[in-house]
Amino acid sequence: MDIENHPFPPYLPAQATVMMSGSFPPPAEKRSMLFHYPNYQNDMWRIYGLIYYHDAAHFEVAGEKRFDAARIRHFLEEHGIAICPSVRRAVREKGNASDAHLRVIETLDLPAVVQQLPQLRHIFTTGGKATDILLGFVPDGKRALKTGESLEFRLHDRLLSLTRLPSSSRAYPLKLEQKAAAYRAYFHTIGLL
């Protein structure tokens, strides 16, 4: 089986106060752009569109089945939101993006990422695999973190919060509006809204 490197580098705006962490993108043929959450069927950028612009299609390219990576990068920079996948290298055991069939070879180096983001205070995950990996950096982080739950931990003498939010995958059985409501509530809590 082929070991794949994550195709997109972390996106780390210097002033980021919050970081989003998922696991691994779909295979190349399922990507609509060359940036994080590239699958047109994935709802991540629709969630952000609903929350910030009241328009699920805000980050889509009109008339095309793809997202506008430049518009997304500008938005993330403006709002101080970083993206750092939890998985750097992996094997797709079934050739797809399912966390259940992803064998992790190398994870992110969370301490190194945190050092690059001096204002970072909040991290949220977008699925079970990412949550489990990040819990590995939390002292006594062996307990499960259910969707909607948070915990606080120290890293480099900095107090950070870790929250698990609903997956943006269409496979996750929650309507788009319900996912957006969960993200909206979280962003409000941490001061992004």
Side-chain angles (χ1 to χ4, degrees):
M1 293 186 178
D2 292 334
I3 295 175
E4 289 185 48
N5 293 321
H6 198 292
F8 312 122
Y11 187 75
L12 306 175
Q15 80 286 7
T17 59
V18 63
M19 184 175 79
M20 176 167 66
S21 188
S23 56
F24 218 65
E29 64 272 12
K30 298 275 188 185
R31 299 176 196 155
S32 74
M33 64 175 173
L34 297 176
F35 195 64
H36 300 276
Y37 300 89
N39 189 335
Y40 189 71
Q41 297 305 311
N42 188 291
D43 282 329
M44 183 57 72
W45 304 119
R46 292 181 186 92
I47 290 169
Y48 278 98
L50 278 174
I51 293 170
Y52 284 91
Y53 303 99
H54 308 288
D55 177 11
H58 178 80
F59 291 109
E60 295 179 25
V61 176
E64 301 180 31
K65 290 187 174 183
R66 67 183 182 91
F67 297 106
D68 185 332
R71 192 180 317 155
I72 291 167
R73 280 189 200 92
H74 176 76
F75 165 83
L76 295 171
E77 183 79 30
E78 183 180 7
H79 291 278
I81 301 170
I83 301 178
C84 186
S86 63
V87 179
R88 293 173 71 175
R89 299 173 68 227
V91 173
R92 297 178 198 275
E93 294 179 331
K94 300 231 173 170
N96 59 31
S98 170
D99 279 356
H101 305 294
L102 190 68
R103 183 163 31 106
V104 177
I105 304 299
E106 181 183 353
T107 69
L108 84 163
D109 181 348
L110 185 61
V113 172
V114 168
Q115 283 188 323
Q116 293 178 61
L117 299 171
Q119 297 180 52
L120 183 69
R121 295 295 177 265
H122 308 282
I123 302 170
F124 69 92
T125 58
T126 61
K129 180 79 72 181
T131 304
D132 291 344
I133 289 169
L134 290 181
L135 282 171
F137 293 98
V138 175
D140 301 320
K142 297 303 176 197
R143 72 177 184 92
L145 199 61
K146 294 177 184 169
T147 301
E149 288 186 338
S150 299
L151 59 77
E152 289 188 334
F153 67 103
R154 287 204 170 271
L155 188 61
H156 294 314
D157 294 325
R158 193 181 320 173
L159 185 63
L160 298 168
S161 69
L162 174 63
T163 302
R164 180 176 175 179
L165 291 180
S167 170
S168 56
S169 168
R170 293 262 176 104
Y172 188 76
L174 201 62
K175 291 182 178 178
L176 172 61
E177 293 76 14
Q178 293 171 298
K179 292 178 186 181
Y183 279 68
R184 183 181 292 110
Y186 173 72
F187 291 158
H188 187 266
T189 298
I190 65 169
L192 274 186
L193 281 175

